Amino acid sequence: MSITRKNGPLYLQIKKIMKDRILHGVYPLGSHIPSEPQLEQEFKVSKMTVRNAIQELNQEGYVEKRSGIGTIVIRNTSFSKLSKGKRFTEILVEEGHQIRKRHLKEEWVSNEPGEALYEKFGERCIRIDRLYLLDGKPYIFYTHYLSSVVDMGGDFPSDELPSLYDRIEESQITLENFRDRFTTAIADEELASLLNVERGAVLLKRLRSSYDGEGNIMEYSIGYYNTELQHYLISYDI
């Protein structure tokens, strides 16, 4: 795949892509990541760029280079500042599943006074539609709305999507409060097609809002889960 200098240092872009693959089970815990020559060929970069990316992953504790063996994945959960709990995708990856994200749409949305999005974000916000695949099967469809102060960076390929929460952190925004609401929804024709379910199937609907320390909303997301494929899991640490 190709990366571009307009999105920042190449080695950091490669590090982020590989980290995302680790967190979503593409490179499972205990497995080898591709060799340096393979990564050089995939990303079309120099050996030094690849080594710098791997060094970053090593310093963050995701991989360990072992002489005569290769580079091994030694951790597949993030140390995110956003939450003390584990993300749902991390729980699935720990159970041996693989999560992939597919980009469907990204656009600026103009909001009119009186509309719900105007009350949340003002005149403009970013809309991003994503489909999450569980072991290759459609599982979650999400529409994310983000504040205009979040820097989503440049273009990115549809199968290597940056984490929204990583982009929020990189925009120097610290999320302090979260609100999740759960209900059910009936699959219309569009949802049935996206999630490969029958029209009229019952889906779990999740409404998530994230706020900065001053109470400003940074993210509002609407997700639809095919829980017949996998139940939604919440892990509590007491």
Side-chain angles (χ1 to χ4, degrees):
M1 63 169 295
S2 61
I3 55 178
T4 174
R5 292 187 182 278
K6 71 179 182 179
N7 290 333
L10 297 182
Y11 78 96
L12 289 180
Q13 293 181 57
I14 295 171
K15 186 264 289 189
K16 290 176 184 177
I17 290 171
M18 296 181 67
K19 175 181 173 181
D20 194 72
R21 291 177 182 178
I22 291 171
L23 295 178
H24 290 88
V26 180
Y27 303 150
L29 190 67
S31 70
H32 291 76
I33 67 170
S35 66
E36 290 182 4
Q38 288 175 311
L39 293 172
E40 291 166 32
Q41 183 176 9
E42 177 183 358
F43 294 108
K44 298 179 174 56
V45 296
S46 68
K47 180 177 295 186
M48 185 59 66
T49 298
V50 167
R51 287 184 175 176
N52 286 340
I54 294 174
Q55 181 63 25
E56 288 280 323
L57 290 171
N58 177 268
Q59 290 176 353
E60 292 185 12
Y62 290 100
V63 300
E64 181 178 86
K65 195 167 186 177
R66 299 175 183 173
S67 179
I69 297 177
T71 304
I72 309 293
V73 177
I74 60 173
R75 179 166 65 85
N76 60 0
T77 56
S78 65
F79 287 152
S80 174
K81 295 178 286 185
L82 298 174
S83 173
K84 294 181 180 178
K86 293 180 181 178
R87 299 174 187 173
F88 177 46
T89 53
E90 292 180 359
I91 297 174
L92 293 177
V93 169
E94 285 184 344
E95 293 182 348
H97 297 287
Q98 184 180 117
I99 304 292
R100 298 300 295 263
K101 297 171 286 185
R102 182 177 297 163
H103 180 68
L104 303 180
K105 179 192 294 185
E106 179 179 4
E107 63 183 6
W108 282 95
V109 177
S110 297
N111 308 316
E112 299 293 333
E115 295 178 346
L117 288 177
Y118 184 90
E119 298 301 318
K120 295 179 185 296
F121 298 105
E123 295 181 352
R124 296 212 314 164
C125 62
I126 308 166
R127 172 177 172 165
I128 298 175
D129 288 358
R130 289 180 168 182
L131 182 66
Y132 291 73
L133 306 178
L134 177 67
D135 301 326
K137 297 179 181 179
Y139 178 41
I140 312 168
F141 170 66
Y142 252 113
T143 296
H144 304 280
Y145 296 98
L146 299 172
S147 168
S148 59
V149 302
V150 178
D151 181 8
M152 284 304 297
D155 297 332
F156 40 81
S158 62
D159 60 346
E160 296 287 0
L161 302 181
S163 163
L164 297 182
Y165 297 112
D166 284 349
R167 287 294 171 90
I168 289 174
E169 285 187 349
E170 291 166 6
S171 300
Q172 305 303 309
I173 299 167
T174 300
L175 298 182
E176 297 287 352
N177 295 296
F178 306 87
R179 183 182 182 189
D180 275 303
R181 291 178 291 155
F182 297 91
T183 183
T184 56
I186 302 300
D188 59 16
E189 187 172 346
E190 180 184 12
L191 286 171
S193 176
L194 286 167
L195 295 174
N196 195 26
V197 298
E198 296 290 334
R199 184 173 180 177
V202 178
L203 306 171
L204 174 68
K205 182 177 180 180
R206 181 186 184 187
L207 304 170
R208 181 174 177 84
S209 301
S210 303
Y211 303 86
D212 67 11
E214 297 179 356
N216 301 309
I217 188 167
M218 293 291 111
E219 170 224 4
Y220 174 64
S221 298
I222 306 171
Y224 298 91
Y225 293 68
N226 176 13
T227 54
E228 290 298 315
L229 187 61
Q230 168 69 50
H231 291 171
Y232 183 84
L233 305 171
I234 301 175
S235 178
Y236 294 99
D237 294 321
I238 300 177

